[in-house]
Amino acid sequence: AMRVCGLAALLPKLLSLLLVLVQSCARVQEAKGESDSSSNHNNLAGPVDRSRTDNTTAVTVEIFYGSTCGHCLSFIHAAIYPLIQARLPGDQLQLTMLPWVPDLMNENECLGNLPCSYARAPLCALKSTFPQPVRIDSEDLHRGLDFLYCDLSNTAMGATPPQNAVELPKCANQAGIPWSGRHGLKACAEGADAFKLLNSSTYRQQIEAAKHKLNKLPDQMAPFVFLDGEVLSCEGPELCTGLRTTSGVNKFDKSGSLLEIVCSRLQPVPSACGDVLASKAEESRPSKSAKHGIKEAAQACENCVEVGTYSWSFRRQSGTGSKKQSAASGLRDVVVWAPAAAIVGAMAA
């Protein structure tokens, strides 16, 4: 009886200690949640571990495209596919690829809004990549990209909803994604799952984070591309020049394609980037044929003092690339020259 009484006396103290432990655990979880939320707000791509014990730094690229956007189709063809085909290490490069639906809509509103309605199928095709960013070498990402590229080839070219509906199964088959069946793409795209994805916190948080960045930089045109959380400035699908800020564009030391810019940031440099960076260095100076043209042009000038000094520039022109292949193939050298005095005279006239 004395032992029972002793235990009974200790019980309130044990309960009090247990309560303290529970409250302490709750405070730890709350602090962790605030830390994660802050990380998600500051990092456009969501929480990405950029510190690695092997000294490898992960670069993040985010692309938000319009589901009826022709510029986006060109960018995917000339910038994103070369990035995929370069076979860069997935632990060094992570990609976010999402359709752009900036406003939260219910089912009826979305069906009445063409960009939102057209975003349902590609979002379902990318569902297996959530949460993004995802490794650049992800097969799920590759299949999703193939589907959305095929789909965008129709919707950006003016396909009506009935016309697009006919093409969707073909795009799914081309991408290797099942169309029919309970778990097929059709069930998601034409059912409630598509609207759930559009309104999910996983998707909306990334859209809102992008909007927060873009609201500070008005007059942006889709696709909206972010490099390590900063808005990338590209003059075309094959030429990116810097990072946009509220005070202008911070120019890169060397402009280049998205692949070249990404490769210049990867540390250590993967073997897949070796040829890319070497080619970029080669393009920065005239080839033998270009040098020969410069020499001949200089010899042909009998009295260069009379016409003024010459300004020489060198660039490369690109031929037309095949589907899913960078249009940078088929490069040829072009030498451009003009008398400085003649240029001044023409401007004055």
Side-chain angles (χ1 to χ4, degrees):
M2 292 180 62
R3 291 180 181 176
V4 172
C5 291
L7 291 173
L10 287 174
L11 186 58
K13 295 182 179 180
L14 291 174
L15 290 174
S16 176
L17 178 61
L18 181 61
L19 180 61
V20 170
L21 289 174
V22 169
Q23 291 174 339
S24 189
C25 288
R27 285 194 294 270
V28 169
Q29 289 297 323
E30 183 180 355
K32 183 178 184 299
E34 292 176 354
S35 175
D36 289 345
S37 175
S38 174
S39 175
N40 285 337
H41 178 74
N42 293 329
N43 188 341
L44 179 66
V48 177
D49 183 7
R50 296 180 58 80
S51 61
R52 296 170 51 89
T53 56
D54 58 1
N55 297 322
T56 299
T57 301
V59 171
T60 60
V61 175
E62 297 123 299
I63 304 98
F64 298 89
Y65 75 95
S67 57
T68 58
C69 169
H71 293 100
C72 303
L73 183 66
S74 299
F75 191 85
I76 293 171
H77 169 76
I80 304 305
Y81 268 115
L83 202 62
I84 297 288
Q85 293 166 346
R87 300 183 180 278
L88 300 175
D91 61 341
Q92 287 189 261
L93 179 60
Q94 298 177 339
L95 186 70
T96 292
M97 187 83 191
L98 293 172
W100 180 251
V101 182
D103 300 317
L104 188 65
M105 301 183 192
N106 60 37
E107 184 173 338
N108 289 331
E109 290 171 335
C110 183
L111 291 175
N113 179 283
L114 203 58
C116 180
S117 181
Y118 279 163
R120 292 176 298 155
L123 200 58
C124 286
L126 291 165
K127 179 173 64 173
S128 59
T129 67
F130 284 7
Q132 295 186 7
V134 64
R135 293 169 59 103
I136 191 72
D137 55 4
S138 163
E139 290 299 324
D140 286 340
L141 173 66
H142 298 173
R143 284 189 289 268
L145 179 63
D146 285 345
F147 175 84
L148 73 86
Y149 180 81
C150 175
D151 181 51
L152 191 58
S153 298
N154 299 313
T155 58
M157 295 297 106
T160 64
Q163 291 171 334
N164 188 52
V166 174
E167 299 299 322
L168 288 177
K170 301 176 185 177
C171 289
N173 181 64
Q174 178 178 311
I177 300 175
W179 174 252
S180 303
R182 190 174 69 173
H183 301 294
L185 188 56
K186 179 181 180 181
C188 175
E190 297 180 0
D193 285 353
F195 299 107
K196 290 179 181 177
L197 287 172
L198 281 165
N199 294 326
S200 67
S201 59
T202 301
Y203 175 73
R204 295 308 316 173
Q205 284 176 3
Q206 291 187 291
I207 294 297
E208 292 302 320
K211 286 170 61 177
H212 179 74
K213 298 267 187 177
L214 294 170
N215 285 340
K216 300 178 181 179
L217 303 167
D219 302 324
Q220 300 297 306
M221 180 182 293
F224 307 119
V225 186
F226 297 81
L227 179 62
D228 288 334
E230 298 184 80
V231 180
L232 185 64
S233 175
C234 297
E235 295 181 3
E238 295 182 277
L239 183 63
C240 297
T241 57
L243 297 172
R244 291 189 180 277
T245 68
T246 53
S247 58
V249 177
N250 287 337
K251 296 284 188 179
F252 295 133
D253 291 338
K254 291 184 180 179
S255 301
S257 68
L258 180 60
L259 175 58
E260 291 167 342
I261 299 301
V262 166
C263 277
S264 70
R265 288 190 163 218
L266 297 181
Q267 295 295 331
V269 178
S271 58
C273 284
D275 291 341
V276 174
L277 296 177
S279 175
K280 180 65 177 174
E282 181 65 23
E283 288 180 25
S284 65
R285 58 180 180 273
S287 65
K288 291 182 179 179
S289 60
K291 290 179 180 177
H292 180 69
I294 292 173
K295 182 178 179 180
E296 287 188 343
Q299 291 175 344
C301 177
E302 295 180 358
N303 193 342
C304 291
V305 176
E306 293 180 4
V307 297
T309 58
Y310 275 73
S311 297
W312 304 95
S313 66
F314 171 77
R315 70 173 185 268
R316 289 204 170 190
Q317 291 184 345
S318 60
T320 301
S322 60
K323 186 176 182 181
K324 294 187 186 177
Q325 182 179 2
S326 170
S329 60
L331 292 170
R332 64 180 188 273
D333 299 324
V334 177
V335 182
V336 182
W337 64 87
I343 294 175
V344 173
M347 292 176 63

